[in-house]
Amino acid sequence: MLFSPFRFSASKKFETSRRQIFMVGTCNINRYTAASCSLSSTSTSTAALPYSEAGRNDSEAAYYADANRLTLSSIDNSEAPLRNILRAQTSPARKLKYETIMLKVSGEALQGSLGFGVDAVVMRAVAEEVKDLVMAGVRVAIVVGGGNYFRGANAWQGLDRATADYVGMLATVMNALQLQGALEGLGVDARVQTAIEMREVAEPYIRRRAVAHLRAGHVVIFGAGTGNPFFTTDTAAALRAAEVNAEVFIKATKVDGIYDSDPAKNPLAKKYERLSYRQCTNDNLQVMDETAITLCKENNIPVLVLNMLEKGSIMRAVLGEPVGTVVCEVCEA
């Protein structure tokens, strides 16, 4: 047999959620594996593997373990999806408003107080936020900006815009690889896919492969924008969100929402709780460029702007709690 059945004693009953299907007997471990297996237990307890979907097969190799290795402490980093499953079992089930998200991380926010490059403290904080999402069963796709290294729109005189944008795309890949490393350091399995091929360091962007990674419980980080100049990373994030069927576009920045003016310059700036797509463009609020807003509007993807440096803010948003500013179609007059 390709995948051998294994036995273990279930010592604890785990919480099950709406999508958790893993009964003692014959099981199909679909989100995290590509294998169907027969599981025999010496206990009558039900062990729940979160977010399995019966009848589906993903393109991931099967992760399985024998009785002596089926513990959190004994699973190494090479088996991150399995470790994520087991950890999710031990935490109480919480109802998620969004199960698949696109997280846009500002490059400028990653530089922290350094003024350039990546602040390791900020990068780790972001990675920990993402880890919490994965532990809760959220499928996380990420686009990282590159403004902490280079921004094509602000290129020096003499450098044409197209070349400057390509340099900016490479900057996003630098951030993507560092975020991948930070996540893997926390035991979260992550993949980087780039719109410009650089196979030695990342996978080329292939939509079906990205979707398979997400279903397998991996975090997918998209680098190099759309691969074309004259498009922002916000547009790239909106495009990828539509392609992977994300339920929300979360824009994580240095501010806690959208204001009618710059709150750093105007202490009396008014914060919006909800906005329509049309209002964003008509009032020139500079939330995102118009191409990104249009993509989200046409694909009915709500945009949520929040402060990524506020601990727990992204998780609260995923759970449906009021945080930041929401831009959505239902807000249209």
Side-chain angles (χ1 to χ4, degrees):
M1 293 179 63
L2 179 59
F3 301 107
S4 301
F6 56 89
R7 298 176 59 88
F8 70 98
S9 296
S11 59
K12 181 178 179 181
K13 290 184 178 181
F14 298 117
E15 296 275 2
T16 60
S17 71
R18 178 172 59 84
R19 299 177 60 209
Q20 292 175 330
I21 306 170
F22 185 37
M23 302 299 294
V24 174
T26 302
C27 68
N28 196 316
I29 308 175
N30 296 48
R31 178 162 180 198
Y32 291 93
T33 73
S36 297
C37 64
S38 293
L39 182 66
S40 166
S41 174
T42 58
S43 168
T44 57
S45 301
T46 298
L49 280 181
Y51 308 103
S52 303
E53 296 181 13
R56 274 185 163 176
N57 287 316
D58 292 329
S59 61
E60 297 298 318
Y63 286 93
Y64 60 95
D66 58 32
N68 296 326
R69 295 170 59 243
L70 196 59
T71 61
L72 284 178
S73 59
S74 65
I75 298 174
D76 60 23
N77 284 342
S78 66
E79 295 175 332
L82 179 56
R83 182 175 61 255
N84 294 347
I85 292 172
L86 296 174
R87 283 179 176 166
Q89 289 176 341
T90 63
S91 45
R94 289 184 286 181
K95 183 175 177 59
L96 301 172
K97 182 175 182 179
Y98 306 110
E99 294 182 355
T100 304
I101 70 169
M102 168 55 69
L103 178 63
K104 166 63 196 312
V105 178
S106 164
E108 290 183 344
L110 289 177
Q111 68 188 7
S113 59
L114 299 181
F116 182 82
V118 171
D119 186 327
V121 175
V122 175
M123 179 65 82
R124 183 175 178 84
V126 174
E128 289 174 345
E129 291 280 328
V130 174
K131 176 183 177 180
D132 290 343
L133 296 172
V134 174
M135 295 299 101
V138 182
R139 295 172 174 173
V140 185
I142 303 176
V143 168
V144 190
N148 53 323
Y149 287 115
F150 191 88
R151 187 180 295 278
N154 300 330
W156 43 270
Q157 188 175 2
L159 184 65
D160 67 273
R161 174 62 188 274
T163 301
D165 281 350
Y166 282 121
V167 175
M169 292 178 213
L170 299 179
T172 69
V173 176
M174 293 166 63
N175 284 332
L177 292 174
Q178 291 178 85
L179 180 55
Q180 180 188 37
L183 287 169
E184 290 179 342
L186 295 175
V188 179
D189 206 2
R191 300 287 187 272
V192 174
Q193 291 195 348
T194 58
I196 299 174
E197 285 197 20
M198 43 189 80
R199 293 176 181 269
E200 289 77 9
V201 297
E203 299 177 6
Y205 173 67
I206 300 174
R207 177 186 171 274
R208 288 182 178 273
R209 181 178 292 176
V211 171
H213 282 319
L214 290 172
R215 288 177 179 168
H218 303 154
V219 174
V220 181
I221 309 168
F222 299 110
T226 65
N228 300 289
F230 306 105
F231 290 95
T232 66
T233 49
D234 283 342
T235 297
L239 176 62
R240 299 291 184 247
E243 290 181 300
V244 302
N245 300 315
E247 298 164 321
V248 65
F249 180 129
I250 298 179
K251 183 171 181 180
T253 66
K254 297 186 293 183
V255 294
D256 62 347
I258 302 172
Y259 289 79
D260 59 357
S261 60
D262 188 347
K265 299 177 181 178
N266 179 14
L268 300 178
K270 173 189 173 184
K271 178 185 173 182
Y272 295 100
E273 300 298 328
R274 298 179 74 86
L275 284 169
S276 68
Y277 299 110
R278 184 182 297 115
Q279 189 175 355
C280 285
T281 54
N282 290 349
D283 294 355
N284 193 29
L285 294 176
Q286 298 181 350
V287 182
M288 300 188 296
D289 62 276
E290 291 189 23
T291 305
I293 292 176
T294 301
L295 274 170
C296 290
K297 179 179 179 180
E298 290 180 349
N299 292 280
N300 197 27
I301 302 173
V303 179
L304 208 161
V305 181
L306 49 75
N307 183 357
M308 75 174 188
L309 302 180
E310 181 182 334
K311 186 173 178 59
S313 60
I314 302 174
M315 177 61 76
R316 288 168 53 208
V318 168
L319 292 172
E321 298 179 16
V323 57
T325 302
V326 180
V327 182
C328 55
E329 183 69 25
V330 251
C331 304
E332 297 280 9

